[in-house]
Amino acid sequence: MERSSLVGSLTNAIKEHSRAFGVTAAVIGAILVIYYCGSINFYPSGLTIADTLFFLWVVVVFGFYYSVVAFAFFIASIFWVAIFAKPINLALKLKKNKADIVVPLPKSDWLMVLGGGFIANLLILGISYFKGHPLLAIFGALFLIGFIYTLIENVSKRSAASDSLLGSNGKPINTSPISPQVVKIIFYVFVYIAPLLFGQVGGGVTRTTFETMGVRQEGVTLYVEASEYKSILEDYENAGLISDLACSELCTIQQADILFTNIGTNTKIKLSGSAGDLLLVLPTNAIKLVAQPKFNKSIQPTADAAAD
């Protein structure tokens, strides 16, 4: 008999536990927000009602975004399980092991696993490469998900089969099979945790989400109020912690990274110079303008023209 479809199982699980998934997504979103704030050593303060609502919205979006990421990792991992299932089982049978360790997928899942898994792998590896996420961590997450999927599927299968074993007295032999519900919970937990443990290295999930929502920006030009901050910024420039600083009515800072803004009264930024990096917290109202120019290649000014 053909095993139940993976698509059907996931769809039914989402329908049956939609509220639980919503709460779980919100909890994961909150964890990611707290993790990110802790990683940059900054927590928003002076929140207004609008800031609080936006912050909660960020949490919800994080949870949804991470759920999509976790599902993409799962499909990408199962792609490799499907590809290597037969070679692994063949190698095991050559060693006189008749049991298939890797559980084959039902026919109804092949299109999703091979087609969707191939696309998921391209997206994950492509985005990781261009965003600078460590590929070793990404491969670690894919391997862990595939291993856990294979392990739980086989443990569940063998546990269920052990119920039918009878002893010499004709009574069933109880081998303490794992409850299917427990197996599902373990499976969902590991699917969710694996990308967080591996793909999150370097701030992958949170960084990408914050950039998408405008809370974080990289490589921008800042125009800061000069009357209060000119002398301080020039001191840091002299110390080699800020490069390309120009102050007149406003202080212009090139190639700044905004780590957290738009929520609360303060903004945390990262500046770089010849001597090292500088983490700086400024009142958001002191930043008069944030610019991120993107010239067309045909009209991009040359170095000589920019110097003039």
Side-chain angles (χ1 to χ4, degrees):
M1 181 181 296
E2 185 181 352
R3 295 172 61 245
S4 60
S5 169
L6 181 64
V7 180
S9 299
L10 290 175
T11 302
N12 291 333
I14 292 174
K15 289 181 178 179
E16 293 175 3
H17 308 286
S18 57
R19 292 184 178 180
F21 274 105
V23 173
T24 302
V27 170
I28 291 175
I31 292 174
L32 290 174
V33 171
I34 295 172
Y35 170 87
Y36 178 75
C37 291
S39 68
I40 64 174
N41 194 25
F42 176 81
Y43 293 90
S45 60
L47 299 180
T48 64
I49 295 178
D51 289 333
T52 303
L53 292 176
F54 183 70
F55 189 81
L56 294 176
W57 174 243
V58 170
V59 168
V60 173
V61 171
F62 264 42
F64 174 77
Y65 176 85
Y66 185 75
S67 299
V68 173
V69 170
F71 180 75
F73 267 84
F74 170 66
I75 294 299
S77 177
I78 302 306
F79 170 84
W80 297 110
V81 173
I83 293 296
F84 290 106
K86 290 185 178 180
I88 292 175
N89 286 327
L90 179 61
L92 291 172
K93 289 180 179 180
L94 291 177
K95 294 184 179 181
K96 298 181 180 181
N97 188 339
K98 296 182 179 180
D100 287 343
I101 299 300
V102 179
V103 179
L105 294 166
K107 294 180 180 179
S108 56
D109 280 337
W110 277 100
L111 179 60
M112 183 193 74
V113 170
L114 293 182
F118 179 76
I119 295 174
N121 274 283
L122 286 181
L123 289 175
I124 291 173
L125 296 178
I127 293 174
S128 299
Y129 176 79
F130 287 109
K131 291 289 186 179
H133 303 337
L135 292 180
L136 182 61
I138 302 301
F139 286 123
L142 294 176
F143 175 81
L144 179 61
I145 292 174
F147 176 78
I148 294 300
Y149 167 79
T150 303
L151 177 64
I152 293 180
E153 284 285 347
N154 281 275
V155 170
S156 178
K157 178 181 177 182
R158 294 184 181 184
S159 297
S162 65
D163 288 337
S164 60
L165 298 178
L166 301 178
S168 58
N169 56 1
K171 295 182 179 180
I173 299 176
N174 185 4
T175 58
S176 300
I178 300 177
S179 168
Q181 187 64 25
V182 174
V183 171
K184 288 182 180 180
I185 293 175
I186 295 175
F187 173 69
Y188 295 144
V189 168
F190 272 102
V191 167
Y192 263 78
I193 288 180
L196 185 61
L197 292 179
F198 289 88
Q200 183 60 20
V201 175
V205 176
T206 50
R207 186 178 72 185
T208 302
T209 306
F210 268 126
E211 289 174 359
T212 302
M213 299 191 68
V215 177
R216 175 188 172 110
Q217 300 178 59
E218 293 186 345
V220 300
T221 301
L222 296 181
Y223 296 88
V224 180
E225 191 175 275
S227 59
E228 293 187 26
Y229 302 102
K230 177 180 178 181
S231 59
I232 299 175
L233 294 175
E234 288 179 343
D235 287 342
Y236 283 127
E237 182 187 28
N238 294 333
L241 298 176
I242 300 178
S243 59
D244 299 327
L245 175 68
C247 288
S248 56
E249 294 182 1
L250 292 175
C251 287
T252 304
I253 306 174
Q254 304 285 347
Q255 292 299 310
D257 292 340
I258 299 178
L259 303 182
F260 201 105
T261 190
N262 290 334
I263 300 178
T265 56
N266 295 323
T267 293
K268 184 151 190 177
I269 61 177
K270 178 182 178 181
L271 308 176
S272 299
S274 58
D277 297 332
L278 172 66
L279 295 176
L280 195 64
V281 177
L282 287 173
T284 303
N285 58 13
I287 301 174
K288 301 304 179 182
L289 185 65
V290 177
Q292 194 172 23
K294 294 183 179 180
F295 296 99
N296 294 329
K297 293 182 180 180
S298 59
I299 61 174
Q300 187 170 359
T302 63
D304 294 336
D308 294 338

mmCIF file of all heavy atoms in Angstrom, residues 213-259:
data_model
loop_
_atom_site.group_PDB
_atom_site.id
_atom_site.type_symbol
_atom_site.label_atom_id
_atom_site.label_comp_id
_atom_site.label_asym_id
_atom_site.label_seq_id
_atom_site.Cartn_x
_atom_site.Cartn_y
_atom_site.Cartn_z
ATOM 1 N N MET A 213 12.085 44.719 5.757
ATOM 2 C CA MET A 213 11.102 45.595 6.380
ATOM 3 C C MET A 213 11.640 47.001 6.615
ATOM 4 O O MET A 213 10.924 47.861 7.134
ATOM 5 C CB MET A 213 10.627 44.997 7.699
ATOM 6 C CG MET A 213 9.968 43.642 7.532
ATOM 7 S SD MET A 213 9.147 43.087 9.033
ATOM 8 C CE MET A 213 7.811 44.264 9.143
ATOM 9 N N GLY A 214 12.900 47.262 6.274
ATOM 10 C CA GLY A 214 13.451 48.596 6.432
ATOM 11 C C GLY A 214 13.942 48.918 7.825
ATOM 12 O O GLY A 214 14.328 50.055 8.106
ATOM 13 N N VAL A 215 13.959 47.936 8.720
ATOM 14 C CA VAL A 215 14.468 48.161 10.067
ATOM 15 C C VAL A 215 15.996 48.170 10.063
ATOM 16 O O VAL A 215 16.629 48.807 10.885
ATOM 17 C CB VAL A 215 13.930 47.074 11.028
ATOM 18 C CG1 VAL A 215 14.505 47.227 12.433
ATOM 19 C CG2 VAL A 215 12.413 47.131 11.076
ATOM 20 N N ARG A 216 16.571 47.483 9.104
ATOM 21 C CA ARG A 216 18.021 47.410 8.955
ATOM 22 C C ARG A 216 18.371 47.780 7.519
ATOM 23 O O ARG A 216 17.684 47.384 6.581
ATOM 24 C CB ARG A 216 18.516 45.998 9.291
ATOM 25 C CG ARG A 216 20.016 45.795 9.054
ATOM 26 C CD ARG A 216 20.388 44.333 9.210
ATOM 27 N NE ARG A 216 21.773 44.111 8.808
ATOM 28 C CZ ARG A 216 22.757 43.817 9.644
ATOM 29 N NH1 ARG A 216 22.513 43.692 10.929
ATOM 30 N NH2 ARG A 216 23.979 43.636 9.207
ATOM 31 N N GLN A 217 19.465 48.533 7.345
ATOM 32 C CA GLN A 217 19.931 48.908 6.009
ATOM 33 C C GLN A 217 21.456 48.867 5.984
ATOM 34 O O GLN A 217 22.100 49.217 6.974
ATOM 35 C CB GLN A 217 19.444 50.319 5.633
ATOM 36 C CG GLN A 217 17.933 50.477 5.614
ATOM 37 C CD GLN A 217 17.501 51.889 5.299
ATOM 38 O OE1 GLN A 217 17.826 52.435 4.252
ATOM 39 N NE2 GLN A 217 16.767 52.500 6.219
ATOM 40 N N GLU A 218 22.005 48.482 4.865
ATOM 41 C CA GLU A 218 23.454 48.381 4.733
ATOM 42 C C GLU A 218 23.956 49.300 3.625
ATOM 43 O O GLU A 218 23.293 49.473 2.601
ATOM 44 C CB GLU A 218 23.876 46.938 4.447
ATOM 45 C CG GLU A 218 23.636 45.981 5.603
ATOM 46 C CD GLU A 218 24.190 44.600 5.325
ATOM 47 O OE1 GLU A 218 24.507 44.304 4.149
ATOM 48 O OE2 GLU A 218 24.317 43.805 6.279
ATOM 49 N N GLY A 219 25.138 49.866 3.844
ATOM 50 C CA GLY A 219 25.804 50.657 2.818
ATOM 51 C C GLY A 219 25.073 51.929 2.439
ATOM 52 O O GLY A 219 25.045 52.294 1.256
ATOM 53 N N VAL A 220 24.495 52.625 3.414
ATOM 54 C CA VAL A 220 23.757 53.849 3.123
ATOM 55 C C VAL A 220 24.587 55.070 3.507
ATOM 56 O O VAL A 220 25.601 54.974 4.204
ATOM 57 C CB VAL A 220 22.412 53.885 3.890
ATOM 58 C CG1 VAL A 220 21.549 52.704 3.484
ATOM 59 C CG2 VAL A 220 22.650 53.886 5.394
ATOM 60 N N THR A 221 24.150 56.238 3.030
ATOM 61 C CA THR A 221 24.770 57.513 3.390
ATOM 62 C C THR A 221 23.882 58.221 4.405
ATOM 63 O O THR A 221 22.686 58.392 4.172
ATOM 64 C CB THR A 221 24.954 58.404 2.157
ATOM 65 O OG1 THR A 221 25.784 57.717 1.203
ATOM 66 C CG2 THR A 221 25.619 59.720 2.535
ATOM 67 N N LEU A 222 24.471 58.592 5.533
ATOM 68 C CA LEU A 222 23.722 59.260 6.593
ATOM 69 C C LEU A 222 24.064 60.743 6.638
ATOM 70 O O LEU A 222 25.234 61.136 6.486
ATOM 71 C CB LEU A 222 24.051 58.642 7.960
ATOM 72 C CG LEU A 222 23.662 57.178 8.198
ATOM 73 C CD1 LEU A 222 24.057 56.759 9.609
ATOM 74 C CD2 LEU A 222 22.176 56.965 7.977
ATOM 75 N N TYR A 223 23.040 61.557 6.864
ATOM 76 C CA TYR A 223 23.220 62.995 7.064
ATOM 77 C C TYR A 223 22.764 63.304 8.492
ATOM 78 O O TYR A 223 21.573 63.239 8.794
ATOM 79 C CB TYR A 223 22.420 63.787 6.040
ATOM 80 C CG TYR A 223 22.892 63.555 4.622
ATOM 81 C CD1 TYR A 223 22.380 62.502 3.857
ATOM 82 C CD2 TYR A 223 23.861 64.380 4.045
ATOM 83 C CE1 TYR A 223 22.823 62.278 2.562
ATOM 84 C CE2 TYR A 223 24.301 64.170 2.750
ATOM 85 C CZ TYR A 223 23.780 63.120 2.022
ATOM 86 O OH TYR A 223 24.221 62.904 0.736
ATOM 87 N N VAL A 224 23.753 63.613 9.352
ATOM 88 C CA VAL A 224 23.506 63.765 10.777
ATOM 89 C C VAL A 224 23.627 65.235 11.168
ATOM 90 O O VAL A 224 24.450 65.979 10.619
ATOM 91 C CB VAL A 224 24.511 62.912 11.593
ATOM 92 C CG1 VAL A 224 24.261 63.059 13.088
ATOM 93 C CG2 VAL A 224 24.417 61.449 11.171
ATOM 94 N N GLU A 225 22.835 65.634 12.132
ATOM 95 C CA GLU A 225 22.854 67.004 12.641
ATOM 96 C C GLU A 225 24.263 67.374 13.103
ATOM 97 O O GLU A 225 24.853 66.700 13.959
ATOM 98 C CB GLU A 225 21.867 67.107 13.803
ATOM 99 C CG GLU A 225 21.573 68.507 14.261
ATOM 100 C CD GLU A 225 20.480 68.530 15.331
ATOM 101 O OE1 GLU A 225 19.283 68.533 14.965
ATOM 102 O OE2 GLU A 225 20.855 68.499 16.512
ATOM 103 N N ALA A 226 24.814 68.459 12.547
ATOM 104 C CA ALA A 226 26.205 68.833 12.826
ATOM 105 C C ALA A 226 26.364 69.628 14.105
ATOM 106 O O ALA A 226 27.412 69.555 14.760
ATOM 107 C CB ALA A 226 26.772 69.618 11.640
ATOM 108 N N SER A 227 25.371 70.413 14.480
ATOM 109 C CA SER A 227 25.512 71.317 15.623
ATOM 110 C C SER A 227 25.872 70.581 16.910
ATOM 111 O O SER A 227 26.650 71.093 17.726
ATOM 112 C CB SER A 227 24.220 72.120 15.813
ATOM 113 O OG SER A 227 23.121 71.232 16.020
ATOM 114 N N GLU A 228 25.351 69.360 17.102
ATOM 115 C CA GLU A 228 25.609 68.621 18.342
ATOM 116 C C GLU A 228 26.635 67.514 18.184
ATOM 117 O O GLU A 228 27.304 67.152 19.158
ATOM 118 C CB GLU A 228 24.302 68.024 18.868
ATOM 119 C CG GLU A 228 23.290 69.068 19.333
ATOM 120 C CD GLU A 228 22.089 68.424 20.007
ATOM 121 O OE1 GLU A 228 22.235 67.298 20.550
ATOM 122 O OE2 GLU A 228 21.011 69.033 19.998
ATOM 123 N N TYR A 229 26.786 66.981 16.984
ATOM 124 C CA TYR A 229 27.583 65.768 16.837
ATOM 125 C C TYR A 229 28.837 65.935 15.985
ATOM 126 O O TYR A 229 29.593 64.981 15.826
ATOM 127 C CB TYR A 229 26.709 64.650 16.242
ATOM 128 C CG TYR A 229 25.497 64.351 17.088
ATOM 129 C CD1 TYR A 229 24.242 64.841 16.730
ATOM 130 C CD2 TYR A 229 25.610 63.608 18.244
ATOM 131 C CE1 TYR A 229 23.129 64.586 17.515
ATOM 132 C CE2 TYR A 229 24.496 63.352 19.035
ATOM 133 C CZ TYR A 229 23.261 63.841 18.671
ATOM 134 O OH TYR A 229 22.164 63.593 19.446
ATOM 135 N N LYS A 230 29.093 67.129 15.463
ATOM 136 C CA LYS A 230 30.241 67.325 14.592
ATOM 137 C C LYS A 230 31.553 67.006 15.297
ATOM 138 O O LYS A 230 32.388 66.241 14.786
ATOM 139 C CB LYS A 230 30.265 68.765 14.077
ATOM 140 C CG LYS A 230 31.480 69.078 13.205
ATOM 141 C CD LYS A 230 31.442 70.528 12.723
ATOM 142 C CE LYS A 230 32.686 70.847 11.887
ATOM 143 N NZ LYS A 230 32.691 72.254 11.426
ATOM 144 N N SER A 231 31.782 67.581 16.458
ATOM 145 C CA SER A 231 33.059 67.383 17.155
ATOM 146 C C SER A 231 33.265 65.918 17.537
ATOM 147 O O SER A 231 34.380 65.388 17.433
ATOM 148 C CB SER A 231 33.122 68.273 18.400
ATOM 149 O OG SER A 231 32.057 67.964 19.286
ATOM 150 N N ILE A 232 32.199 65.262 17.981
ATOM 151 C CA ILE A 232 32.319 63.855 18.368
ATOM 152 C C ILE A 232 32.667 62.982 17.166
ATOM 153 O O ILE A 232 33.559 62.135 17.222
ATOM 154 C CB ILE A 232 31.004 63.373 19.015
ATOM 155 C CG1 ILE A 232 30.707 64.178 20.279
ATOM 156 C CG2 ILE A 232 31.063 61.882 19.326
ATOM 157 C CD1 ILE A 232 29.383 63.853 20.906
ATOM 158 N N LEU A 233 31.958 63.211 16.067
ATOM 159 C CA LEU A 233 32.212 62.417 14.863
ATOM 160 C C LEU A 233 33.615 62.666 14.315
ATOM 161 O O LEU A 233 34.289 61.739 13.849
ATOM 162 C CB LEU A 233 31.153 62.738 13.803
ATOM 163 C CG LEU A 233 29.713 62.330 14.143
ATOM 164 C CD1 LEU A 233 28.744 62.809 13.070
ATOM 165 C CD2 LEU A 233 29.597 60.812 14.314
ATOM 166 N N GLU A 234 34.084 63.916 14.382
ATOM 167 C CA GLU A 234 35.433 64.222 13.896
ATOM 168 C C GLU A 234 36.492 63.562 14.773
ATOM 169 O O GLU A 234 37.544 63.143 14.280
ATOM 170 C CB GLU A 234 35.639 65.732 13.835
ATOM 171 C CG GLU A 234 34.864 66.390 12.690
ATOM 172 C CD GLU A 234 35.051 67.892 12.648
ATOM 173 O OE1 GLU A 234 35.495 68.452 13.674
ATOM 174 O OE2 GLU A 234 34.740 68.507 11.605
ATOM 175 N N ASP A 235 36.234 63.460 16.082
ATOM 176 C CA ASP A 235 37.165 62.747 16.965
ATOM 177 C C ASP A 235 37.273 61.279 16.575
ATOM 178 O O ASP A 235 38.363 60.699 16.552
ATOM 179 C CB ASP A 235 36.705 62.868 18.421
ATOM 180 C CG ASP A 235 36.936 64.263 18.989
ATOM 181 O OD1 ASP A 235 37.730 65.014 18.394
ATOM 182 O OD2 ASP A 235 36.300 64.594 20.013
ATOM 183 N N TYR A 236 36.129 60.676 16.287
ATOM 184 C CA TYR A 236 36.145 59.276 15.863
ATOM 185 C C TYR A 236 36.825 59.119 14.499
ATOM 186 O O TYR A 236 37.510 58.116 14.247
ATOM 187 C CB TYR A 236 34.717 58.722 15.803
ATOM 188 C CG TYR A 236 34.138 58.388 17.159
ATOM 189 C CD1 TYR A 236 32.899 58.901 17.552
ATOM 190 C CD2 TYR A 236 34.809 57.554 18.032
ATOM 191 C CE1 TYR A 236 32.356 58.595 18.797
ATOM 192 C CE2 TYR A 236 34.276 57.245 19.289
ATOM 193 C CZ TYR A 236 33.059 57.769 19.662
ATOM 194 O OH TYR A 236 32.523 57.467 20.891
ATOM 195 N N GLU A 237 36.668 60.112 13.618
ATOM 196 C CA GLU A 237 37.346 60.060 12.325
ATOM 197 C C GLU A 237 38.848 60.133 12.516
ATOM 198 O O GLU A 237 39.604 59.389 11.882
ATOM 199 C CB GLU A 237 36.871 61.199 11.422
ATOM 200 C CG GLU A 237 37.508 61.155 10.033
ATOM 201 C CD GLU A 237 37.175 62.377 9.198
ATOM 202 O OE1 GLU A 237 36.945 63.445 9.793
ATOM 203 O OE2 GLU A 237 37.166 62.255 7.952
ATOM 204 N N ASN A 238 39.306 61.009 13.408
ATOM 205 C CA ASN A 238 40.740 61.129 13.687
ATOM 206 C C ASN A 238 41.298 59.841 14.305
ATOM 207 O O ASN A 238 42.480 59.522 14.132
ATOM 208 C CB ASN A 238 40.998 62.309 14.627
ATOM 209 C CG ASN A 238 40.666 63.641 13.977
ATOM 210 O OD1 ASN A 238 40.732 63.786 12.754
ATOM 211 N ND2 ASN A 238 40.297 64.630 14.786
ATOM 212 N N ALA A 239 40.440 59.117 15.011
ATOM 213 C CA ALA A 239 40.865 57.847 15.609
ATOM 214 C C ALA A 239 40.830 56.701 14.595
ATOM 215 O O ALA A 239 41.218 55.573 14.923
ATOM 216 C CB ALA A 239 39.972 57.515 16.802
ATOM 217 N N GLY A 240 40.382 56.985 13.368
ATOM 218 C CA GLY A 240 40.354 55.958 12.328
ATOM 219 C C GLY A 240 39.159 55.044 12.390
ATOM 220 O O GLY A 240 39.183 53.944 11.826
ATOM 221 N N LEU A 241 38.066 55.472 13.045
ATOM 222 C CA LEU A 241 36.877 54.645 13.163
ATOM 223 C C LEU A 241 35.755 55.073 12.229
ATOM 224 O O LEU A 241 34.730 54.404 12.143
ATOM 225 C CB LEU A 241 36.373 54.671 14.613
ATOM 226 C CG LEU A 241 37.350 54.097 15.651
ATOM 227 C CD1 LEU A 241 36.790 54.267 17.051
ATOM 228 C CD2 LEU A 241 37.647 52.630 15.363
ATOM 229 N N ILE A 242 35.940 56.205 11.551
ATOM 230 C CA ILE A 242 34.983 56.681 10.553
ATOM 231 C C ILE A 242 35.776 57.120 9.324
ATOM 232 O O ILE A 242 36.802 57.793 9.454
ATOM 233 C CB ILE A 242 34.147 57.873 11.072
ATOM 234 C CG1 ILE A 242 33.361 57.488 12.318
ATOM 235 C CG2 ILE A 242 33.181 58.362 9.993
ATOM 236 C CD1 ILE A 242 32.552 58.624 12.913
ATOM 237 N N SER A 243 35.315 56.747 8.166
ATOM 238 C CA SER A 243 35.956 57.175 6.929
ATOM 239 C C SER A 243 34.971 58.008 6.111
ATOM 240 O O SER A 243 33.756 57.859 6.241
ATOM 241 C CB SER A 243 36.424 55.969 6.106
ATOM 242 O OG SER A 243 35.335 55.122 5.783
ATOM 243 N N ASP A 244 35.499 58.894 5.292
ATOM 244 C CA ASP A 244 34.683 59.723 4.387
ATOM 245 C C ASP A 244 33.643 60.557 5.148
ATOM 246 O O ASP A 244 32.465 60.581 4.791
ATOM 247 C CB ASP A 244 33.970 58.850 3.334
ATOM 248 C CG ASP A 244 34.954 58.101 2.456
ATOM 249 O OD1 ASP A 244 36.034 58.654 2.199
ATOM 250 O OD2 ASP A 244 34.641 56.966 2.054
ATOM 251 N N LEU A 245 34.107 61.241 6.196
ATOM 252 C CA LEU A 245 33.223 62.130 6.945
ATOM 253 C C LEU A 245 33.408 63.554 6.442
ATOM 254 O O LEU A 245 34.531 64.039 6.293
ATOM 255 C CB LEU A 245 33.548 62.076 8.436
ATOM 256 C CG LEU A 245 32.775 63.053 9.334
ATOM 257 C CD1 LEU A 245 31.301 62.661 9.400
ATOM 258 C CD2 LEU A 245 33.386 63.086 10.739
ATOM 259 N N ALA A 246 32.308 64.229 6.158
ATOM 260 C CA ALA A 246 32.345 65.629 5.714
ATOM 261 C C ALA A 246 31.272 66.391 6.465
ATOM 262 O O ALA A 246 30.097 66.024 6.422
ATOM 263 C CB ALA A 246 32.127 65.717 4.206
ATOM 264 N N CYS A 247 31.669 67.440 7.183
ATOM 265 C CA CYS A 247 30.725 68.205 7.998
ATOM 266 C C CYS A 247 30.676 69.665 7.563
ATOM 267 O O CYS A 247 31.721 70.312 7.400
ATOM 268 C CB CYS A 247 31.121 68.144 9.476
ATOM 269 S SG CYS A 247 30.841 66.533 10.249
ATOM 270 N N SER A 248 29.486 70.157 7.377
ATOM 271 C CA SER A 248 29.233 71.587 7.180
ATOM 272 C C SER A 248 27.967 71.891 7.970
ATOM 273 O O SER A 248 28.010 71.889 9.199
ATOM 274 C CB SER A 248 29.094 71.917 5.689
ATOM 275 O OG SER A 248 28.074 71.109 5.096
ATOM 276 N N GLU A 249 26.853 72.141 7.293
ATOM 277 C CA GLU A 249 25.594 72.286 8.017
ATOM 278 C C GLU A 249 25.107 70.944 8.549
ATOM 279 O O GLU A 249 24.472 70.863 9.601
ATOM 280 C CB GLU A 249 24.538 72.901 7.102
ATOM 281 C CG GLU A 249 24.843 74.338 6.681
ATOM 282 C CD GLU A 249 23.746 74.918 5.818
ATOM 283 O OE1 GLU A 249 22.742 74.195 5.577
ATOM 284 O OE2 GLU A 249 23.875 76.074 5.383
ATOM 285 N N LEU A 250 25.392 69.884 7.779
ATOM 286 C CA LEU A 250 25.120 68.518 8.202
ATOM 287 C C LEU A 250 26.396 67.710 8.079
ATOM 288 O O LEU A 250 27.270 68.022 7.258
ATOM 289 C CB LEU A 250 24.022 67.882 7.338
ATOM 290 C CG LEU A 250 22.601 68.447 7.463
ATOM 291 C CD1 LEU A 250 21.692 67.766 6.447
ATOM 292 C CD2 LEU A 250 22.048 68.253 8.866
ATOM 293 N N CYS A 251 26.522 66.658 8.862
ATOM 294 C CA CYS A 251 27.654 65.738 8.744
ATOM 295 C C CYS A 251 27.245 64.562 7.859
ATOM 296 O O CYS A 251 26.231 63.898 8.117
ATOM 297 C CB CYS A 251 28.086 65.235 10.114
ATOM 298 S SG CYS A 251 28.942 66.452 11.118
ATOM 299 N N THR A 252 28.029 64.335 6.812
ATOM 300 C CA THR A 252 27.753 63.253 5.869
ATOM 301 C C THR A 252 28.651 62.071 6.180
ATOM 302 O O THR A 252 29.877 62.211 6.240
ATOM 303 C CB THR A 252 27.993 63.715 4.425
ATOM 304 O OG1 THR A 252 27.208 64.881 4.163
ATOM 305 C CG2 THR A 252 27.618 62.615 3.448
ATOM 306 N N ILE A 253 28.045 60.917 6.368
ATOM 307 C CA ILE A 253 28.783 59.682 6.663
ATOM 308 C C ILE A 253 28.490 58.683 5.548
ATOM 309 O O ILE A 253 27.329 58.319 5.314
ATOM 310 C CB ILE A 253 28.372 59.087 8.021
ATOM 311 C CG1 ILE A 253 28.521 60.136 9.137
ATOM 312 C CG2 ILE A 253 29.210 57.855 8.336
ATOM 313 C CD1 ILE A 253 27.989 59.662 10.471
ATOM 314 N N GLN A 254 29.533 58.256 4.860
ATOM 315 C CA GLN A 254 29.378 57.317 3.752
ATOM 316 C C GLN A 254 29.437 55.873 4.246
ATOM 317 O O GLN A 254 30.098 55.562 5.235
ATOM 318 C CB GLN A 254 30.489 57.538 2.721
ATOM 319 C CG GLN A 254 30.575 58.954 2.178
ATOM 320 C CD GLN A 254 29.473 59.262 1.183
ATOM 321 O OE1 GLN A 254 28.781 58.358 0.701
ATOM 322 N NE2 GLN A 254 29.303 60.536 0.863
ATOM 323 N N GLN A 255 28.770 54.988 3.532
ATOM 324 C CA GLN A 255 28.831 53.539 3.745
ATOM 325 C C GLN A 255 28.580 53.153 5.208
ATOM 326 O O GLN A 255 29.369 52.448 5.850
ATOM 327 C CB GLN A 255 30.186 52.990 3.290
ATOM 328 C CG GLN A 255 30.414 53.053 1.796
ATOM 329 C CD GLN A 255 29.368 52.232 1.023
ATOM 330 O OE1 GLN A 255 29.127 51.055 1.348
ATOM 331 N NE2 GLN A 255 28.755 52.836 0.022
ATOM 332 N N ALA A 256 27.474 53.627 5.740
ATOM 333 C CA ALA A 256 27.079 53.270 7.103
ATOM 334 C C ALA A 256 26.085 52.112 7.069
ATOM 335 O O ALA A 256 25.303 51.984 6.126
ATOM 336 C CB ALA A 256 26.455 54.479 7.804
ATOM 337 N N ASP A 257 26.136 51.294 8.091
ATOM 338 C CA ASP A 257 25.170 50.207 8.241
ATOM 339 C C ASP A 257 24.225 50.545 9.388
ATOM 340 O O ASP A 257 24.679 50.747 10.526
ATOM 341 C CB ASP A 257 25.882 48.877 8.538
ATOM 342 C CG ASP A 257 26.695 48.385 7.365
ATOM 343 O OD1 ASP A 257 26.426 48.826 6.225
ATOM 344 O OD2 ASP A 257 27.602 47.554 7.576
ATOM 345 N N ILE A 258 22.933 50.622 9.087
ATOM 346 C CA ILE A 258 21.930 50.844 10.128
ATOM 347 C C ILE A 258 21.489 49.480 10.639
ATOM 348 O O ILE A 258 20.916 48.680 9.907
ATOM 349 C CB ILE A 258 20.719 51.622 9.581
ATOM 350 C CG1 ILE A 258 21.152 53.002 9.079
ATOM 351 C CG2 ILE A 258 19.655 51.767 10.659
ATOM 352 C CD1 ILE A 258 20.021 53.811 8.470
ATOM 353 N N LEU A 259 21.775 49.211 11.912
ATOM 354 C CA LEU A 259 21.449 47.914 12.487
ATOM 355 C C LEU A 259 20.026 47.846 13.022
ATOM 356 O O LEU A 259 19.420 46.778 13.052
ATOM 357 C CB LEU A 259 22.439 47.583 13.612
ATOM 358 C CG LEU A 259 23.923 47.573 13.220
ATOM 359 C CD1 LEU A 259 24.786 47.180 14.409
ATOM 360 C CD2 LEU A 259 24.176 46.645 12.039
#
